[in-house]
Each structure stands twice: as structure tokens, then as C-alpha cells.
Amino acid sequence: MGGSEVILLDFWASMFGMRVRIALAEKGIEYEFKEEDLVNNRSPFLSKMNPVHKKIPVLIHNGKPVCESLIAVQYIDEVWKGKAPLLPSDPYQRAQARFWGDFIDKKVYDHGAKIWKTKGAEQEESKKGLIECLKLLEGELGDKPYFGGESFGYLDIALVPFYSWLYTYETFGKFSVEAECPTLIGWVKRCMDKESVSKSLADPLKVHDLVLLLKKKHGLE
Amino acid sequence: MGEEVKLIGARGSPFNCRVEIALKLKGVEYEFIEEDLANKSPLLLKYNPVHKKIPVLLHNGKPIAESLVILEYVDQTWEGASILPQHPYERAMARFWAKFIDDKCMSALWNACWSKGKEQEKAIEEANELLKLLENELKDKKFFGGDNIGLVDIVADFIAYWVGAIQEVTGAEVLTKEKFPKLFEWAREFINCSIVKEKLPPRDHLTGFFRIKLEAPDTLKYNPQVR
């Protein structure tokens, strides 16, 4: 798409940002990565681009912002139609992909965050919750190579970024996701073989260090 | 065409109503199966095992759950008036506002209508912020979708109709003509659309239901059995 300007306003550790990075990479789109310092100060630029939520990621295409990661992924798929389709073409498969994407947004992230933010009974409940969700997703994957079937797509993109945070969840929660969901971990490794994924995901050890910093900053030790 | 469309729903639910409006817009014939939310049927548990909520659309036996997902499916599957805009950027904007209404507005408006005292003051302040954003987004358009109703209008059905019914019962002043003149006018236009009017539950059914809720305060927490 000649003469097109694409900027991604993002934060290196954000699972939601990673989704958009993967989608852009899948489509081979060149873009400017603008890092937002979420640890310290939200920039005026972010407030301007996402006045409603003031959150990243924000995809800015020819000056027009698209907020919410899964909405941005769909937008990328619809604009750059020619290459690497992300959503299934069949409406029913598409609906299933959207359903599970919505499920991930509502459940996986919240449980995960509580694992490192809380202790005791609340933490235990979050661990159980996370495993339950991952098991459901594992069921949805079945014996397909990707959630999209033979090809990597929307739902794979929606979920795989959680892998950057898995080490953090497992370390603070003192449990192993691989033990509970081996098929899912197998799928993660398959996804990581793709350059679009491996280059977009944050280093799990760096994420862990970030969380140590955040816990200290917010008195959550 | 040998096509079978069923909708498992509950007529008092705004989430259910969204889907009925969409199906009507596309001229789709369907069988409605009323679900008793206090006593969930094996059918519902079979077709929405993950959330166990209505509405669930069954198309030739295949289930689709979550009203926003269903609306997109209906738009893609059947010809007729478009629910989502054609242009990708406008589609992204429609999806953004639909998600905003679902994620933020529903619970905030519910709380603003039902809470009392200091808690209500705070809840109304929060609701005001959200409604202001919607009022600004509407600008001078007749509907969020432009000249015709679209995704955002349909998803905002709770705001157009249910909020008014709750306000009548509780006396809360959340969405008023004075505070949000554009939104108020939009609500009036929306509920008067022939397609919408046909699918809205009768006003007295809603107020009757809400009056019962007023007597049972522990059922007032926002915990929708519907999505």
C-alpha cells in the first residue's frame, strides 16, 4: 500500500501490543514503533490518540488512530487483504475465532494479572482460573497445528503473547502451565518458530524483571 | 433454502434484543426459544457451555454466542441492510464504540440507576463521563450509523430504552434531555424505528420487572446472565 504511514504506539511488555506487532509482521507492513513509557508517565500523544481509554496499543494509519488490539488486528486484516489472511474466510469459523478472542480478553489477562498482584487465597483462585481457561482453549485447539487450522491466524495472535508473561505467572504462582496444558505449550513452540511471533514477543525474563519493579513501585511485595 | 435459524434468548434482555433487531434488519426468519434464566435449560448449557448465557444463535444447528459476535456473523451471512460500515476505518470505529458500550457503559449505567446516596452520586458522575463521550461521538448524526441504524445503535439499545424504564421505576436521573440532548433525541429516534419498535419488549413488562427488582435489593448487583 504505497505512501502509507503506519505508527504503532506501544509498550514493549504489553501482550496486547504484541498482538498488533505480530499482525503487522505477518502482513509484512513497515511501521514506526513508538514506545510509550507506561511505568512512569503517559505521554500527551497517547492521550490525544486514545482519549477514551488512554491505553496502548494504538495503531495509527495515515494519522488515524485505531484502538483496542483485536480491533486493530481486524483492521490490519481488512486493509492489507492481499497477504496472509488472519481471520478465517468462513463466517462461522470467523465467529468462533472472535468468540474465543473475546474469551481471552475477558478471562486470561485478568487471572494472570492477579497471580502476580495478589497472595494467598486470591492468588490460588487466580491460578485455578487461569488453568481452567487455558484448558478450555486447549480443547478448542484440539489436534490442529494452529487455532486457525493449518494456518496461523487471528486466534493464535490473540493468545500467543501470553507466553511472554508465562514465566512471571509460574514463578510468582509457583506452578507449571506446561504440566497442566502440554498441548498448548506445544502450540506455543510451533508459533515461536515463526519469525513474526519470535520477533514480536517480549523476553520472558525481562518481563519478570519489570514485574519485580512494578511490585516494588506499588508496594505489592 | 433449507435453512434453520433459532435464537435462544430472553425477551427482557437488551443483549437478546440486539440480535432480534439484527435478524429483522436482514429479513431472517427464525424460531425464538425463550430461556428461563433462573432455571437454565440443557439446551443452553449444551450450546453455550463456556458462558452459559443468552443470547445464542443456532444456524443449521451450529451455535454462536456473545451478542457482538452474533451481530458480526449475521451481518456477514445474510444480505440486506448493512449492520457494519463498509470502510475498514469506519468498521474499526464502530467496533470500538460497540466494545466501549459493552465493557464500560452497561455496568456503569446500571449502577448509576440502581445505587443510592453517596454511592449513586459517584456512579452518576462516572455515567456522565461515559455518556458525554457518546454524545460527542453522535455529533449531528441521526444515528451512530449515520442515516440508518448500525452496529453501535443496536448495541446501545440498553441506553435507548432500558435506562428510561429503570429511571421511571427508581427515579434516577441518568440520561435526561437536559443533560444529554443529542443522546436523548437519538434514543427517541431509535426506539421509534419500525424494525426496533417491533422487537423491543413492552415497556410495562420492563417496568413491572424492575419494580420487582426494587423490592429485592440483593438481586441488584450487575451480574448479567445475558451477553
Side-chain angles (χ1 to χ4, degrees):
Chain A
M1 237 192 115
S4 161
E5 188 201 52
V6 183
I7 299 173
L8 177 63
L9 195 56
D10 197 353
F11 175 63
W12 68 271
S14 161
M15 284 183 267
F16 303 100
M18 287 174 221
R19 290 166 165 178
V20 187
R21 285 175 234 165
I22 297 170
L24 290 165
E26 280 287 299
K27 299 281 189 179
I29 299 164
E30 303 229 337
Y31 65 98
E32 182 192 339
F33 185 94
K34 253 188 156 70
E35 181 82 30
E36 183 72 20
D37 177 12
L38 290 185
V39 179
N40 297 305
N41 260 321
R42 273 177 177 69
S43 73
F45 185 63
L46 173 58
S47 300
K48 181 176 173 201
M49 290 291 115
N50 189 355
V52 174
H53 301 298
K54 301 177 177 53
K55 285 182 173 173
I56 57 89
V58 183
L59 179 75
I60 307 165
H61 184 207
N62 293 333
K64 301 207 285 195
V66 178
C67 307
E68 300 292 323
S69 59
L70 291 183
I71 293 177
V73 170
Q74 288 178 82
Y75 175 80
I76 289 166
D77 201 33
E78 288 174 12
V79 172
W80 287 275
K81 280 198 282 268
K83 184 180 174 187
L86 302 177
L87 270 125
S89 49
D90 171 65
Y92 186 74
Q93 297 306 324
R94 209 181 263 235
Q96 293 315 300
R98 287 197 171 111
F99 172 86
W100 287 106
D102 172 72
F103 173 80
I104 293 164
D105 267 0
K106 288 196 173 77
K107 307 265 181 178
V108 174
Y109 182 68
D110 276 351
H111 285 310
K114 286 201 180 118
I115 293 173
W116 65 266
K117 284 181 180 172
T118 66
K119 289 194 183 86
E122 206 181 338
Q123 191 189 53
E124 276 308 306
E125 215 184 290
S126 308
K127 276 159 63 175
K128 278 201 187 84
L130 181 69
I131 296 290
E132 250 170 53
C133 292
L134 294 179
K135 283 203 156 117
L136 275 171
L137 286 160
E138 208 177 39
E140 177 58 19
L141 178 66
D143 52 14
K144 304 193 297 275
Y146 299 107
F147 281 97
E150 290 305 312
S151 348
F152 178 83
Y154 177 85
L155 192 49
D156 304 281
I157 294 175
L159 184 60
V160 79
F162 95 101
Y163 185 63
S164 291
W165 284 72
L166 196 59
Y167 175 73
T168 298
Y169 298 153
E170 290 180 318
T171 307
F172 285 106
K174 296 192 183 33
F175 70 128
S176 161
V177 169
E178 181 152 16
E180 303 274 358
C181 307
T183 309
L184 206 61
I185 299 300
W187 160 80
V188 170
K189 296 191 167 138
R190 199 172 300 124
C191 292
M192 288 296 279
D193 279 341
K194 293 174 70 67
E195 202 177 305
S196 61
V197 177
S198 58
K199 290 219 157 126
S200 302
L201 259 53
D203 180 333
L205 296 176
K206 291 206 172 100
V207 169
H208 181 258
D209 287 345
L210 170 72
V211 170
L212 284 174
L213 184 79
L214 290 174
K215 277 172 84 82
K216 200 168 179 179
K217 187 172 191 225
H218 297 288
L220 291 170
E221 283 157 312
Chain B
M1 217 190 133
E3 190 173 63
E4 188 193 61
V5 183
K6 296 184 187 187
L7 177 64
I8 307 172
R11 284 246 146 91
S13 151
F15 300 94
N16 177 75
C17 193
R18 293 170 177 179
V19 178
E20 296 213 78
I21 293 170
L23 290 169
K24 179 76 193 171
L25 209 56
K26 298 287 192 178
V28 178
E29 304 250 328
Y30 60 99
E31 179 193 337
F32 183 77
I33 302 169
E34 178 87 31
E35 182 69 25
D36 174 8
L37 294 174
N39 200 7
K40 291 178 180 178
S41 70
L43 195 73
L44 176 62
L45 300 179
K46 175 183 174 188
Y47 287 120
N48 190 359
V50 174
H51 299 299
K52 306 175 179 54
K53 290 180 175 177
I54 62 96
V56 179
L57 186 73
L58 286 170
H59 186 198
N60 295 330
K62 300 203 287 194
I64 302 128
E66 294 294 301
S67 59
L68 291 189
V69 176
I70 299 172
L71 292 177
E72 295 241 16
Y73 178 80
V74 169
D75 200 32
Q76 274 190 272
T77 304
W78 286 284
E79 302 281 314
S82 286
I83 296 172
L84 272 101
Q86 300 304 312
H87 190 272
Y89 189 73
E90 285 164 43
R91 291 165 76 82
M93 288 297 102
R95 286 175 177 139
F96 175 85
W97 289 108
K99 188 173 201 295
F100 171 77
I101 290 167
D102 252 12
D103 289 354
K104 305 271 177 190
C105 298
M106 301 294 286
S107 56
L109 290 171
W110 180 267
N111 292 335
C113 287
W114 289 103
S115 53
K116 294 192 169 38
K118 274 252 169 289
E119 201 190 311
Q120 188 178 39
E121 269 172 41
K122 191 160 172 256
I124 290 187
E125 245 175 65
E126 195 189 319
N128 285 345
E129 291 299 313
L130 301 174
L131 291 174
K132 196 158 50 172
L133 288 167
L134 287 177
E135 174 105 347
N136 289 341
E137 178 53 25
L138 191 55
K139 299 186 192 64
D140 294 315
K141 298 186 296 223
K142 184 175 179 190
F143 297 113
F144 288 97
D147 292 329
N148 298 306
I149 63 168
L151 181 74
V152 181
D153 304 277
I154 297 172
V155 170
D157 64 345
F158 176 80
I159 302 174
Y161 191 66
W162 273 256
V163 169
I166 305 172
Q167 286 182 159
E168 191 183 307
V169 167
T170 65
E173 289 185 353
V174 179
L175 173 56
T176 66
K177 191 174 181 178
E178 294 68 39
K179 281 161 66 176
F180 304 104
K182 287 190 188 146
L183 220 48
F184 193 82
E185 180 59 24
W186 160 82
R188 211 185 54 83
E189 292 277 3
F190 178 76
I191 66 182
N192 279 312
C193 282
S194 55
I195 286 176
V196 173
K197 216 185 325 209
E198 194 185 311
K199 293 300 174 184
L200 290 174
R203 177 94 172 194
D204 57 350
H205 283 197
L206 281 192
T207 50
F209 173 76
F210 291 135
R211 270 183 236 285
I212 295 172
K213 260 201 166 336
L214 200 59
E215 303 305 315
D218 38 295
T219 67
L220 287 178
K221 185 169 178 224
Y222 185 73
N223 179 22
Q225 287 308 298
V226 299
R227 285 272 354 171

